[in-house]
Amino acid sequence: MDLERLIDEARAVSEKAHAPYSGFQVGAALLAEDGSVHVGCNVENASYGLTVCAERSAVTSAIAQGVKSFRAVAIVTNGERPVGPCGACRQVLAEFASDLIVVSEAGGLRKQWTLGELLPSPFEGLPEWPGGQHD
Ligand code: THU
């Protein structure tokens, strides 16, 4: 699975987005370490704050399949230029990989980062928690 195909998967799922309020359709495709791909789209609600982003939707789907190690995420929107994931999604993605490749495409343009560049200091929990940050 290369990034081109991952982007194609994100584009395909973006067409299924439920975005009647913003009109901004987002698709995300997560490439797992085992080669599997897990997709999600944004799901808006009449109570706007209940909206779920595409990236978190993809993470939820992967976790439900028992998959939690990822190499890359592709994001495709119907906007004019590529966007990075929102802050909340960066934090959720950081739970699973700081060296994740994040590639975003829109309007015929593409941008690429690592998650560590986009969120250099995620919240990592307290020392006594599993995986929690230690000094
Ligand atoms: N959205 C995402 O799906 N991912 C992001 O990272 C940013 C925003 C969605 C949420 C909402 O449905 C629409 O884009 C406009 O904010």
Side-chain angles (χ1 to χ4, degrees):
M1 168 66 67
D2 57 22
L3 283 182
E4 297 303 323
R5 279 184 54 206
L6 198 66
I7 289 166
D8 288 345
E9 297 270 358
R11 187 179 302 106
V13 71
S14 75
E15 284 163 23
K16 296 183 177 157
H18 177 69
Y21 305 103
S22 72
F24 192 56
Q25 298 193 266
V26 187
L30 266 175
L31 175 61
E33 295 285 2
D34 67 4
S36 60
V37 174
H38 305 268
V39 298
C41 57
N42 54 330
V43 182
E44 296 185 348
N45 191 273
S47 178
Y48 292 3
L50 300 182
T51 291
V52 180
C53 291
E55 297 88 333
R56 274 177 287 161
S57 167
V59 169
T60 304
S61 175
I63 299 303
Q65 297 290 320
V67 176
K68 49 170 71 175
S69 297
F70 307 109
R71 280 188 231 155
V73 62
I75 302 160
V76 174
T77 78
N78 61 351
E80 291 179 1
R81 61 190 74 84
V83 293
C86 79
C89 289
R90 291 178 196 196
Q91 175 68 30
V92 169
L93 290 165
E95 179 81 9
F96 304 103
S98 61
D99 59 350
L100 191 77
I101 293 167
V102 180
V103 59
S104 182
E105 192 180 275
L109 303 169
R110 189 177 297 184
K111 281 186 135 183
Q112 188 171 320
W113 311 265
T114 65
L115 185 59
E117 290 176 299
L118 293 174
L119 186 65
S121 299
F123 177 63
E124 293 176 303
L126 299 179
E128 61 269 30
W129 298 352
Q133 192 174 38
H134 296 266
D135 289 335

